[in-house]
Amino acid sequence: MSDNSRLLRRLFDERVRDLGLTAAQARLLLSLDLFPDQNQGFHADRLEIEPITLTRIADRMEEAGWLERRSDPADRRARILHLTGKSRDIVDKLQSTVEHLFEDTLRGLSATERDNLGKLLDRIGDNLARAREQEPVHG
């Protein structure tokens, strides 16, 4: 799983680079599209990067006009990230890139195999989430 994940990340990196984005920028734009009205801390956690790293990425993207920060009405210290009109076109291209990446990844699998793979990956994800919540087993 780790090897396949690494290969997938590399392919994603290559494809978004063709759009003029770093992988981190692309992932942030996709996250903002999927989870609007969330603060920077949410997106840093979701992207598994340090908050200061996300802040630096957001600074550059805000300067380029791809996102904007607004105050969080629920927390004066927090800032909510929003896509701008300028970023809409690039987000559409990113979504298309991801769809093509999935098709390339799943090429040769039947509809049943794709469905089974999805169910198996969901089960693995559930198992991993449960394992994180439980006490470690030593023995």
Side-chain angles (χ1 to χ4, degrees), residues 82-99:
H82 294 273
L83 295 172
T84 63
K86 179 181 178 179
S87 61
R88 192 74 254 160
D89 185 49
I90 196 73
V91 169
D92 291 343
K93 290 177 183 175
L94 279 170
Q95 289 170 337
S96 177
T97 297
V98 169
E99 288 171 15

Side-chain angles (χ1 to χ4, degrees), residues 44-70:
D45 186 54
R46 186 171 188 298
L47 300 178
E48 297 180 325
I49 59 176
E50 293 297 320
I52 190 66
T53 302
L54 183 114
T55 297
R56 290 181 184 129
I57 294 167
D59 286 344
R60 288 189 298 276
M61 294 179 75
E62 187 174 37
E63 287 175 18
W66 289 355
L67 63 83
E68 64 182 8
R69 291 178 172 108
R70 298 180 195 153

